[in-house]
Amino acid sequence: MQIQTPFRTDAADTSRLELTGIGVRFGGIVALDDVSLQVPAGSVVGIMGPNGAGKTTLFNVICGFIRPGDGSMSFDGRPFAPVPQRLSARGVSRTLQGLGLFAGLTALDNVTAGASGRHRSPFAAGLLGLPFAARSNRQAVGEASALLDEFGIGSYAHALPPALPYPVAKKVALARALISDPTLILLDEPAGGLDQADIDDLRELIRALPQRADSVVSVMLVEHNVDLIMSVCDHIAVLDFGRVISQGTPDEIKADPVVAQAYLGDREAS
């Protein structure tokens, strides 16, 4: 089957993130091979694939943790060579497969720590009591509190992560990623460890992300939960052995026999 042309949206007509011919090799192992895809502005784009397909490697390339040996990236139409410590300043935020919360900080402080991004003084400066950071830190605390209330977990604001129910901790991690006002947010297996009721709640949160702020927000989602990714994504790219084997709308992905063979499995045979 011929791979479809990388997708675009008529509404936005622009790509927030564009990857062209990305290749990554670890010695003799090919992790990514000629990966090209686009994340249109204001869209939710899913990345699917079996274990070892290259999904996490792709996220690490976008975040600057891995330098590709081949290919190029652009962000809002400009060349993009990400530096992990400056991702937030470029408008990129990411959640992790694990929670990644600071165990010694309350839920509120964990979210506030994410505000060391583009338009605020660093959280560390506030902790040190530097005068220029005081007003900015107060603003960040207010915004963090509002996010926790928006997610329905304001009552946990002063709890430490070890005391948080797992679904609540997941929302804290998402709130921390959102407080820096990203224009691109990368969600790495956000449904992991959640029951169906929490996944339904997560589905609503993800679909609402592109409309959160004045700026147009794009979402890139790596997820093993097929029902979730099919229900929230505008477009999906499927990886297998580091290559894009299919991409298109959820309906197109469902109907693609190549995807059924590589990822969904042959239900008839099973």
Side-chain angles (χ1 to χ4, degrees):
M1 177 179 176
Q2 185 176 1
I3 302 304
Q4 300 173 22
T5 304
F7 38 75
R8 297 182 184 274
T9 58
D10 295 335
D13 199 31
T14 56
S15 291
R16 172 114 305 141
L17 176 70
E18 183 167 0
L19 283 65
T20 304
I22 296 296
V24 173
R25 289 167 175 78
F26 301 115
I29 299 175
V30 178
L32 295 175
D33 185 11
D34 194 26
V35 172
S36 297
L37 59 87
Q38 298 170 349
V39 181
S43 67
V44 180
V45 173
I47 307 297
M48 292 174 58
N51 289 330
K55 303 182 299 295
T56 298
T57 299
L58 183 63
F59 263 26
N60 285 336
V61 167
I62 296 169
C63 292
F65 294 111
I66 294 174
R67 294 293 182 188
D70 302 295
S72 62
M73 294 186 287
S74 65
F75 191 82
D76 287 340
R78 295 178 294 175
F80 183 50
V83 176
Q85 296 81 1
R86 301 184 62 189
L87 273 181
S88 186
R90 290 296 304 269
V92 181
S93 188
R94 176 184 182 177
T95 65
L96 303 173
Q97 289 183 18
L99 297 172
L101 298 177
F102 301 113
L105 296 181
T106 65
L108 180 63
D109 285 341
N110 263 281
V111 178
T112 304
S116 59
R118 294 185 295 162
H119 303 302
R120 301 179 178 89
S121 301
F123 179 66
L127 291 177
L128 293 173
L130 301 181
F132 78 90
R135 182 173 63 180
S136 215
N137 193 56
R138 284 195 301 270
Q139 178 184 352
V141 170
E143 293 179 6
S145 180
L147 273 171
L148 294 178
D149 288 340
E150 179 184 339
F151 287 180
I153 55 174
S155 61
Y156 293 94
H158 301 294
L160 295 174
L164 296 175
Y166 189 72
V168 172
K170 280 271 191 175
K171 289 184 177 181
V172 172
L174 178 58
R176 185 176 63 182
L178 288 174
I179 197 172
S180 62
D181 294 331
T183 55
L184 173 66
I185 182 167
L186 309 176
L187 304 180
D188 198 347
E189 299 190 21
L194 300 181
D195 63 22
Q196 189 56 52
D198 293 318
I199 290 173
D200 291 340
D201 192 19
L202 176 65
R203 180 181 291 110
E204 295 182 14
L205 288 175
I206 294 174
R207 286 306 308 173
L209 289 178
Q211 290 80 40
R212 285 193 52 81
D214 294 335
S215 58
V216 179
V217 180
S218 303
V219 180
M220 197 169 183
L221 169 69
V222 164
E223 182 54 63
H224 282 295
N225 187 300
V226 176
D227 291 337
L228 176 65
I229 205 167
M230 289 292 178
S231 63
V232 302
C233 293
D234 301 303
H235 299 279
I236 299 169
V238 183
L239 293 177
D240 194 24
F241 294 107
R243 293 186 61 86
V244 177
I245 61 171
S246 181
Q247 55 181 306
T249 66
D251 286 342
E252 290 169 336
I253 296 300
K254 288 178 185 178
D256 190 342
V258 175
V259 177
Q261 181 69 27
Y263 182 68
L264 299 178
D266 188 339
R267 295 181 185 273
E268 210 170 66
S270 64

